[in-house]
Amino acid sequence: MELENEIPPPKSANAPLSAVSALAGEVISPLKRLQHMDEDDWEEFTCELATYWKTQYLRVNRVGGAGDMGRDVIAYTPDGSWENFQCKYYSSPLNLTDVLLEIGKLCYHSHQGHFSMPAKYYFVAKSGLNGASLNALKDSNKLKAELISGWDKKCKDKITKKNSVRLEGDFLKFVEHDVDFTIFDQIPQLKLIELHKNHTPYYIRRFGASEFDRPAPATPPNDIQSNELKYIAELLKAIESIESQVNSVDDLEAFPEFLTELKSARKNFYSAESLEKFSRDSMPPDTYENLLEDCYEAISSLVLMVHNNGWDKYLAISSHVTQVSFSSHPLNLYMSIRDKKGACHQLVNKGSLKWNK
């Protein structure tokens, strides 16, 4: 019997090495990162998701501490009802005993008149739910039966610290007839990651950017748009500083080299605009604003330098900015030469940069 076998080549042997992989090593999947969060990380992650929930509710509040009465994140809906997000950061999947206890707390405190029953109740668990819990949540009748039959063992002495809570009398009738057990559900781990990715600006900070693809920049429309007027006017002044016959875009028809530069400038501007949108959609707030600040710092010496005319200044700064690496900025991996030049036109639009005296 052969006990020794030659090891096969590693799967990565024939895979191309990307710049991101060379920098950071093998990409850790978001699901693995989610499962390895500690209590503090999970609380932060929940707060980040709340920024998404706020967009569809009137307001979102957190209830912390032992007196939460079975509520963690409360979301108030426009129709006057509310929904609950019950966050659990256990290292193992949420079992049925945990689920029933949380539902029991909610039912008890609602019956006591502390609040109405929510329209929806979601379990948000770092490690997900186990099979028994998932099966119970899929069948509202089974979930109700599990709560009633398991009350004495799983809930009675754990609802409050002071007294045992018996499931009998009016309270039992409330659970049997007034509680809608279809409201209870869970948000799966992959759904949590999807919501975080598509609806919050914090995804890249938490999970990295290796899986993001930046969309292709838009092609400039034939007609100059209102948001282009300022930087184009400044560029025309720079051209006029060496060619007095140029006073408008139409005048450039007689000067092909300047017309080509104008078309290039518009492509650069729209490229930078697309990078800004990508940053807003995928990066933490102010990421792109910080990039523009870095861009200005990279060219500030040339801005202050004396130039023969506006055109020379434009050429000098445009050439220099293409050599700047921006290596410490998170958008660096997504930037092109067009973005760097386009950022200068954005600085002109903002009034931070002028080509002419």
Side-chain angles (χ1 to χ4, degrees):
M1 180 178 178
E2 183 66 46
L3 297 178
E4 297 185 10
N5 295 292
E6 183 178 356
I7 62 171
K11 293 181 180 179
S12 59
N14 297 319
L17 183 64
S18 68
V20 175
S21 297
L23 181 67
E26 182 180 1
V27 176
I28 301 175
S29 72
L31 185 59
K32 286 183 178 180
R33 290 182 186 272
L34 190 74
Q35 292 169 341
H36 284 86
M37 287 183 185
D38 59 21
E39 180 176 344
D40 290 338
D41 286 335
W42 183 246
E43 183 174 347
E44 286 288 328
F45 179 74
T46 302
C47 289
E48 290 161 6
L49 279 174
T51 63
Y52 159 66
W53 294 331
K54 282 182 179 179
T55 65
Q56 55 182 352
Y57 299 111
L58 287 178
R59 68 182 190 277
V60 178
N61 295 337
R62 296 206 67 195
V63 182
D68 63 5
M69 301 183 189
R71 303 165 301 161
D72 272 349
V73 176
I74 303 173
Y76 294 94
T77 61
D79 64 5
S81 62
W82 66 285
E83 299 179 5
N84 186 65
F85 296 85
Q86 194 65 18
C87 306
K88 296 296 181 184
Y89 45 79
Y90 299 162
S91 58
S92 57
L94 209 61
N95 59 45
L96 186 56
T97 297
D98 298 322
V99 168
L100 294 178
L101 178 57
E102 294 301 329
I103 294 176
K105 288 180 184 178
L106 186 84
C107 292
Y108 171 74
H109 288 292
S110 179
H111 181 257
Q112 291 293 303
H114 297 141
F115 46 77
S116 62
M117 288 293 290
K120 290 293 294 185
Y121 183 109
Y122 300 99
F123 287 98
V124 184
K126 183 195 77 170
S127 300
L129 280 69
N130 68 9
S133 299
L134 292 173
N135 289 335
L137 288 176
K138 290 177 182 178
D139 187 336
S140 58
N141 292 325
K142 179 179 180 180
L143 184 62
K144 179 195 293 187
E146 291 279 5
L147 180 66
I148 293 173
S149 65
W151 184 271
D152 286 349
K153 182 177 180 181
K154 299 173 181 177
C155 300
K156 184 180 72 173
D157 297 319
K158 300 177 182 178
I159 300 295
T160 70
K161 293 183 177 180
K162 295 182 179 179
N163 304 307
S164 294
V165 176
R166 297 184 178 279
L167 187 59
E168 58 188 16
D170 290 341
F171 182 35
L172 176 58
K173 293 178 182 178
F174 175 77
V175 171
E176 288 181 324
H177 303 293
D178 297 332
V179 175
D180 179 6
F181 280 82
T182 65
I183 69 171
F184 298 104
D185 202 352
Q186 57 113 17
I187 303 179
Q189 295 160 296
L190 290 178
K191 184 65 176 180
L192 291 174
I193 293 170
E194 178 187 342
L195 290 173
H196 195 272
K197 177 179 181 179
N198 294 335
H199 300 286
T200 82
Y202 307 106
Y203 183 86
I204 289 182
R205 182 185 294 276
R206 185 163 296 281
F207 295 106
S210 58
E211 63 182 89
F212 275 86
D213 289 323
R214 175 189 168 186
T219 301
N222 292 330
D223 296 330
I224 293 173
Q225 304 300 299
S226 59
N227 64 331
E228 298 183 79
L229 296 177
K230 189 171 183 178
Y231 83 85
I232 287 181
E234 186 68 14
L235 180 57
L236 289 174
K237 288 181 183 179
I239 297 173
E240 187 182 3
S241 70
I242 64 166
E243 181 50 72
S244 60
Q245 298 182 54
V246 174
N247 295 295
S248 68
V249 173
D250 292 337
D251 295 335
L252 296 180
E253 294 294 338
F255 302 93
E257 67 277 16
F258 292 139
L259 182 60
T260 297
E261 182 59 30
L262 176 69
K263 292 178 178 178
S264 178
R266 295 191 69 210
K267 289 181 180 179
N268 297 339
F269 176 76
Y270 275 88
S271 184
E273 291 282 287
S274 75
L275 181 63
E276 182 175 8
K277 183 181 184 303
F278 171 76
S279 178
R280 286 198 309 268
D281 294 341
S282 308
M283 299 280 182
D286 299 328
T287 298
Y288 194 80
E289 287 72 14
N290 293 336
L291 177 65
L292 287 184
E293 290 179 6
D294 287 352
C295 181
Y296 183 81
E297 290 301 320
I299 64 175
S300 60
S301 297
L302 280 173
V303 172
L304 298 174
M305 192 177 297
V306 176
H307 300 270
N308 294 327
N309 49 62
W311 183 248
D312 282 353
K313 182 177 180 180
Y314 169 73
L315 293 180
I317 291 177
S318 297
S319 176
H320 175 75
V321 77
T322 63
Q323 307 302 315
V324 181
S325 68
F326 298 101
S327 58
S328 62
H329 196 278
L331 286 169
N332 174 55
L333 294 174
Y334 299 98
M335 290 184 71
S336 67
I337 288 178
R338 287 198 177 279
D339 298 323
K340 296 175 183 180
K341 287 187 173 183
C344 292
H345 294 305
Q346 289 179 318
L347 288 172
V348 171
N349 266 2
K350 292 177 181 293
S352 302
L353 175 62
K354 288 186 176 182
W355 308 125
N356 310 278
K357 293 182 180 180

